[in-house]
Amino acid sequence: MGWFKRLKEGIQTATSNKKEIPDGIWSKCPSCKEATLTRDLRDNLFVCPHCDHHLRIGSYEYFEILFEDSKYEIHFDDYEAKDMLEFEDLKKYKDRLKDAKEKTKLKDAISVAVGEIAPGQPLVIAAMDFSFIGGSMGSVVGEKISKAIDYSLVNKIPLMIIAKSGGARMMESAFSLMQMAKTSVKLGLLADAKIPYISLMTDPTTGGVTASFAMLGDFNIAEPKALIGFAGPRVIMETIKKELPEGFQSAEFLLEQGFLDFIVHRKDLKLKLQTLLDFFQNKPKSKSPVLDTEVVKAEGK
Amino acid sequence: MVFLEFEKPLESLYEQLDKIIEVGKEGDINVDPMVKKLERKIKKTQKDIYQNLNGWQRVQLSRHPNRPHTLYYINEICDEFIELHGDRYFSDDKAIVGGLGKIDGQTFVLIGHEKGTNTKLRQYRNFGMANPEGYRKSLRLMKMAEKFGFPVICMIDTMGANPGIEAEERGQAEAIARNMFEMAKLKTQTMCYIIGEGASGGAIGLGIGDRVFMFENTWYSVISPESCSQILWRSWDFKEQAAEALKLTSDHMASFGLIDGIVKEPLGGAHSFPKETAAIFKAHILEESAKLKEKEISVLLNERIEKYSAMGEYLLNPKEAVSAKK
């Protein structure tokens, strides 16, 4: 549910169509309003060098940051949204989709990539794009997550979903509601197969996305200061008719309340993931003599 | 009786009927023919009204002040019922009730949103808007059902999960997500019924089951028509349009294949005939649970996973439309 108005000043990089940015172009940080060379900002992984604000970035930026040598394969890219309800509010859903596709050069609000985050450390990453109708979850997002889970299951590769979404997509009504069920049900299969699932929540993660796959990680982690919640802050304020406390629904708040394992700076994300996933790859660094004799014994029996 | 705007033609008919019956009692006159005539007229008017309801009217009926709620159905349906309280971690949520009940001699775990029947109780029940501990209580009871092999009945009737500071602090999103995750794996027969309003995460947090049914005059959607109007039309005034656009009625949901069936209400709606509706509900539960019991739990679990995995419609290689519907 799009509780949030799209902020024009956020990074709107047309992801798959990225152009070289000429020097001298400046970006203003939405948080501290300081200007930074856009190229420097990109070198700094879109984190403001002045105030450490993590700017909103798209799926492909995450793939570039996380995969070793920026090598990865895009999967399940042939899904597009269908307007089965012929939904129309002030704008037709069909037109919204068309505009979003033109603006973002993406097909929907999630992309799935497979690659290695370190040599011998494969990872399936499904990353959401807030710039596509507020990162809302409709049937395509649900199906692509489902497909990413299947891929993890078949190939026994850990899964990470990077959430960045206003929630379920209203224009698909009950179909989008059912994606909450679908993704949760499918994650159950991944859990049964004992394949690790990391949920990275980024700014913002709210509504039906938080209340389904985002909160179901073996590891629930988040970027600093990300807004994470079920009901949007405006809805809560309207309901209780009071101002919300400072820092309410921030990643730091969720960590304090016990819903996150840790918060990770974008610069440390890749290394932290490598360390984390390494716990699941119990390969001895050198051959242990004790182990060898035991193997011999066992074979001798 | 409370009459909604579109039910007004019935109000005057019922008034006339009451008057005639009174006159008959007082004056020793035979009013039977007139009563019969009026009753026929009422039936016809009911048909005209209730067989042509639009989305917004269904939403209004689902919220009708006389519409029965979870505790009413439990009292009507169960031979015995013991309510069980508390999530064992934080507190006892009043917007979700649950416990052990006997229906026709068989033990069930019954869980549902309760909205309350008068102003005081509505406040006490927080209008059926549950906090995380409500979902955690329901999960505790479902696990109990699994342990002892009791089937689970969930009754859904909520405008949504509570949007409040405490709800966020205690993890509303986690509670709902965990419920769906665990209900998908619950090793017992589960049946969910939308008995009134089925709004968003608050509804689907009790809504994963082997069978999901909607009562005829209910709705199920990702958002309430009011909130949808507020967000997409940027005004509260477009709720009727939003209700139509969301295609949220039981007929729509059945045609989309997103629910397993509709529980027909008596003509005139559950609010006019609560006892009769409860009887229909009871028969439905017994019939459907008997069918589920014929299947192995492992088969049910697989079917449950397949059902939810197939939900959603999209285009694959846009030129050829692919429907993932069953």
Side-chain angles (χ1 to χ4, degrees):
Chain A
M1 299 174 281
W3 298 116
F4 301 92
K5 272 188 191 153
R6 196 186 336 279
L7 297 168
K8 273 275 187 281
E9 55 265 47
I11 283 288
Q12 305 278 314
T13 327
T15 34
S16 59
N17 192 25
K18 228 162 31 183
K19 289 181 191 117
E20 274 309 306
I21 304 155
D23 284 3
I25 291 188
W26 297 79
S27 294
K28 201 162 111 183
C29 170
S31 178
C32 70
K33 314 286 178 209
E34 285 281 345
T36 311
L37 266 179
T38 307
R39 196 186 53 187
D40 292 350
L41 196 60
R42 194 204 280 173
D43 290 344
N44 206 35
L45 310 181
F46 299 97
V47 175
C48 174
H50 304 283
C51 70
D52 232 17
H53 178 74
H54 285 51
L55 280 93
R56 285 178 187 169
I57 54 174
S59 52
Y60 283 75
E61 276 86 17
Y62 279 107
F63 298 154
E64 294 285 330
I65 291 170
L66 292 172
F67 287 118
E68 197 72 350
D69 305 325
S70 298
K71 272 200 294 198
Y72 55 88
E73 277 174 20
I74 293 292
H75 284 252
F76 319 119
D77 199 32
D78 36 9
Y79 292 88
E80 292 194 29
K82 182 177 164 187
D83 180 23
M84 54 277 188
L85 302 180
E86 292 170 349
F87 194 96
E88 186 176 352
D89 48 88
L90 294 174
K91 205 170 165 184
K92 283 185 177 161
Y93 180 37
K94 268 199 183 81
D95 295 336
R96 268 185 208 276
L97 285 169
K98 212 176 122 211
D99 293 353
K101 281 178 201 171
E102 269 168 26
K103 199 188 87 194
T104 62
K105 310 287 178 220
L106 295 163
K107 288 179 183 159
D108 211 294
I110 199 163
S111 304
V112 181
V114 183
E116 288 187 336
I117 57 164
Q121 269 193 341
L123 184 62
V124 178
I125 303 180
M128 301 186 82
D129 283 282
F130 192 75
S131 52
F132 196 101
I133 318 187
S136 54
M137 169 164 66
S139 298
V140 172
V141 170
E143 180 64 15
K144 283 175 85 166
I145 287 177
S146 173
K147 281 274 180 290
I149 291 169
D150 287 340
Y151 190 93
S152 284
L153 278 169
V154 170
N155 298 287
K156 300 195 168 43
I157 298 175
L159 171 73
M160 176 160 82
I161 304 180
I162 304 178
K164 188 185 283 292
S165 168
R169 190 173 292 170
M170 274 175 285
M171 302 80 168
E172 293 188 24
S173 193
F175 284 97
S176 65
L177 182 64
M178 293 307 152
Q179 305 312 309
M180 291 171 66
K182 176 170 172 170
T183 52
S184 307
V185 168
K186 293 286 297 212
L187 282 173
L189 299 181
L190 201 64
D192 290 344
K194 301 193 190 338
I195 294 171
Y197 162 47
I198 300 162
S199 168
L200 172 62
M201 289 170 250
T202 68
D203 187 64
T205 301
T206 59
V209 165
T210 323
S212 58
F213 60 85
M215 274 290 161
L216 291 172
D218 294 305
F219 307 98
N220 289 342
I221 66 179
E223 287 189 341
K225 304 234 171 71
L227 174 80
I228 304 164
F230 174 64
R234 218 186 54 207
V235 176
I236 299 174
M237 252 186 328
E238 275 169 16
T239 311
I240 62 170
K241 311 217 159 31
K242 268 193 283 190
E243 286 292 308
L244 298 174
E246 180 82 17
F248 181 65
Q249 294 185 315
S250 65
E252 291 71 16
F253 170 86
L254 265 89
L255 181 72
E256 197 53 40
Q257 295 295 332
F259 292 101
L260 295 179
D261 288 284
F262 54 83
I263 294 171
V264 57
H265 195 287
R266 203 176 278 161
K267 271 195 265 187
D268 306 326
L269 179 60
K270 186 171 172 175
L271 187 65
K272 195 99 180 196
L273 286 174
Q274 291 170 352
T275 314
L276 189 59
L277 288 178
D278 191 52
F279 289 114
F280 296 90
Q281 298 180 311
N282 245 343
K283 288 176 205 148
K285 281 199 169 146
S286 56
K287 273 195 177 176
S288 150
V290 182
L291 196 77
D292 276 353
T293 47
E294 271 179 4
V295 171
V296 172
K297 257 192 217 162
E299 278 172 356
K301 267 184 190 172
Chain B
M1 274 298 268
V2 180
F3 290 90
L4 299 172
E5 200 49 46
F6 59 88
E7 293 179 305
K8 288 287 180 213
L10 280 173
E11 187 171 16
S12 59
L13 287 176
Y14 273 115
E15 271 170 16
Q16 284 178 41
L17 186 67
D18 285 348
K19 262 185 206 152
I20 289 171
I21 290 170
E22 214 171 292
V23 168
K25 269 186 203 154
E26 281 170 4
D28 252 358
I29 317 163
N30 182 13
V31 288
D32 283 357
M34 285 173 81
V35 169
K36 284 234 169 75
K37 204 177 149 197
L38 257 177
E39 280 177 344
R40 271 202 301 274
K41 206 166 171 196
I42 287 175
K43 263 259 140 58
K44 193 185 168 293
T45 314
Q46 278 177 333
K47 257 189 195 158
D48 291 345
I49 294 176
Y50 296 108
Q51 289 184 339
N52 298 299
L53 293 170
N54 64 32
W56 178 244
Q57 289 169 333
R58 289 277 177 91
V59 172
Q60 286 173 292
L61 278 189
S62 76
R63 298 170 178 165
H64 197 290
N66 299 119
R67 196 172 171 89
H69 301 144
T70 292
L71 283 175
Y72 177 86
Y73 286 127
I74 284 177
N75 286 328
E76 284 292 317
I77 288 171
C78 295
D79 324 327
E80 300 288 343
F81 179 74
I82 294 182
E83 188 176 348
L84 302 171
H85 294 273
D87 68 343
R88 296 293 190 268
Y89 297 111
F90 183 75
S91 73
D92 181 45
D93 189 70
K94 307 295 189 289
I96 291 181
V97 296
L100 289 169
K102 279 237 189 249
I103 306 175
D104 233 22
Q106 298 175 59
T107 306
F108 287 81
V109 163
L110 298 109
I111 298 163
H113 297 100
E114 175 57 47
K115 286 178 163 175
T117 44
N118 58 41
T119 309
K120 227 177 169 174
L121 281 174
R122 275 190 262 275
Q123 274 182 343
Y124 177 73
R125 299 287 178 193
N126 197 29
F127 307 93
M129 297 190 293
N131 276 317
E133 46 277 15
Y135 294 98
R136 294 186 181 126
K137 168 168 74 178
S138 74
L139 185 56
R140 177 175 79 82
L141 298 180
M142 288 180 218
K143 290 281 183 188
M144 179 189 283
E146 179 179 62
K147 177 174 172 183
F148 297 109
F150 304 141
V152 176
I153 309 286
C154 286
M155 285 164 268
I156 293 161
D157 189 7
T158 185
M159 292 150 65
N162 190 33
I165 290 186
E166 316 78 37
E168 296 291 321
E169 283 173 347
R170 300 197 287 272
Q172 188 72 282
E174 194 276 344
I176 290 170
R178 186 67 49 199
N179 260 31
M180 290 190 293
F181 182 87
E182 295 291 345
M183 288 180 89
K185 295 160 165 275
L186 203 70
K187 292 188 199 68
T188 188
Q189 303 92 353
T190 46
M191 294 195 286
C192 308
Y193 289 88
I194 318 280
I195 60 168
E197 299 189 83
S200 188
I204 205 163
L206 290 184
I208 313 293
D210 297 310
R211 296 288 181 272
V212 179
F213 300 104
M214 283 174 80
F215 279 43
E216 191 181 352
N217 296 312
T218 64
W219 60 277
Y220 201 4
S221 160
V222 73
I223 189 166
S224 72
E226 285 92 338
S227 304
C228 182
S229 159
Q230 166 70 3
I231 294 168
L232 292 180
W233 279 268
R234 299 189 188 93
S235 147
W236 295 106
D237 303 333
F238 294 86
K239 48 188 192 286
E240 283 96 341
Q241 284 94 319
E244 290 309 315
L246 287 167
K247 301 207 167 49
L248 41 63
T249 65
S250 51
D251 301 326
H252 282 125
M253 289 294 286
S255 73
F256 298 149
L258 296 177
I259 56 167
D260 299 291
I262 297 172
V263 179
K264 278 271 178 199
E265 294 175 24
L267 190 69
H271 64 288
S272 307
F273 303 98
K275 264 201 188 306
E276 290 82 347
T277 309
I280 292 171
F281 191 10
K282 181 176 176 176
H284 197 275
I285 290 174
L286 290 172
E287 192 188 328
E288 291 297 329
S289 71
K291 280 191 219 161
L292 289 181
K293 275 188 182 152
E294 285 171 12
K295 295 191 179 188
E296 292 280 333
I297 292 295
S298 59
V299 174
L300 283 180
L301 283 175
N302 281 335
E303 287 179 355
R304 206 184 293 163
I305 289 163
E306 271 167 30
K307 177 171 86 172
Y308 285 98
S309 300
M311 282 185 183
E313 288 193 26
Y314 41 79
L315 305 172
L316 189 56
N317 288 329
K319 273 176 197 107
E320 35 178 318
V322 170
S323 161
K325 239 165 70 178
K326 264 200 295 185

